[in-house]
């Protein structure tokens, strides 16, 4: 019998910074043990290039990712929904595990500011991985 992989959805407004970094970290740290999605309530045209640069410093390449709109299906098919400032635009379904990570928005930030956000996201993702193992 195979164990079902937990599924995590990261959501922020533009899906161009925080949620993409979180998905990159989770992919890097958990590999294929977790199904990973990211989306935004108002997706940008492209990922923030400063975010891409900050993640590249850690050996994580997210340059090929594209901002996506959040869908009801993405939320329904996720075990855990992590929001990062998407406000009331995130659909809510009873029985889902929701977490809201209070993080600065990297939009308009320089590389130093984005590094701080990146490192804070890594800490959150490490805690998330531990909690997924306990579920």
């Amino acid at each position: 019998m195979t164990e079902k992989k937990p599924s995590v959805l990261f959501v922020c407004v533009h899906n161009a910074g925080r949620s993409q970094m979180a998905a990159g970290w989770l992919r890097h740290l958990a590999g294929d043990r977790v199904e990973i999605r990211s989306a935004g309530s108002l997706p940008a045209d492209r990922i923030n290039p400063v975010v891409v640069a900050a993640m590249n410093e850690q050996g994580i390449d997210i340059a090929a990712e594209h901002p996506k709109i959040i869908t009801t299906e993405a939320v329904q098919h996720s075990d855990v929904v992590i929001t990062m400032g998407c406000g009331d635009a995130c659909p809510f379904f009873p029985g889902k595990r929701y977490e809201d990570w209070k993080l600065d928005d990297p939009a308009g930030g320089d590389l130093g500011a984005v590094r701080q956000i990146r490192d804070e996201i890594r800490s959150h993702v490490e805690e998330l991985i531990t909690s997924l193992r306990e579920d």
Side-chain angles (χ1 to χ4, degrees), residues 8-128:
V8 177
L9 170 63
F10 295 105
V11 184
C12 66
V13 176
H14 300 297
N15 191 222
R18 294 168 288 190
S19 55
Q20 294 287 357
M21 285 192 282
W25 274 122
L26 186 55
R27 198 172 294 109
H28 180 74
L29 297 170
D32 64 356
R33 294 175 295 173
V34 179
E35 186 178 334
I36 303 160
R37 297 179 179 89
S38 72
S41 52
L42 293 168
D45 295 333
R46 62 187 175 111
I47 295 182
N48 180 335
V50 182
V51 166
V52 172
M55 293 301 284
N56 277 336
E57 290 180 344
Q58 300 297 304
I60 302 169
D61 184 4
I62 61 170
E65 299 296 327
H66 300 284
K68 296 167 279 312
I69 186 81
I70 187 169
T71 65
T72 301
E73 294 78 25
V75 176
Q76 287 175 319
H77 293 122
S78 299
D79 300 310
V80 181
V81 179
I82 308 290
T83 59
M84 300 173 227
C86 73
D88 295 335
C90 297
F92 181 83
F93 292 95
K96 296 282 175 205
R97 175 178 153 193
Y98 286 86
E99 291 182 24
D100 185 45
W101 294 354
K102 305 286 186 214
L103 299 161
D104 290 335
D105 188 343
D110 65 14
L111 190 55
V114 174
R115 283 180 182 133
Q116 288 184 305
I117 298 165
R118 174 200 68 201
D119 296 345
E120 193 175 343
I121 289 172
R122 180 185 178 137
S123 295
H124 282 292
V125 168
E126 288 170 341
E127 291 172 13
L128 174 65

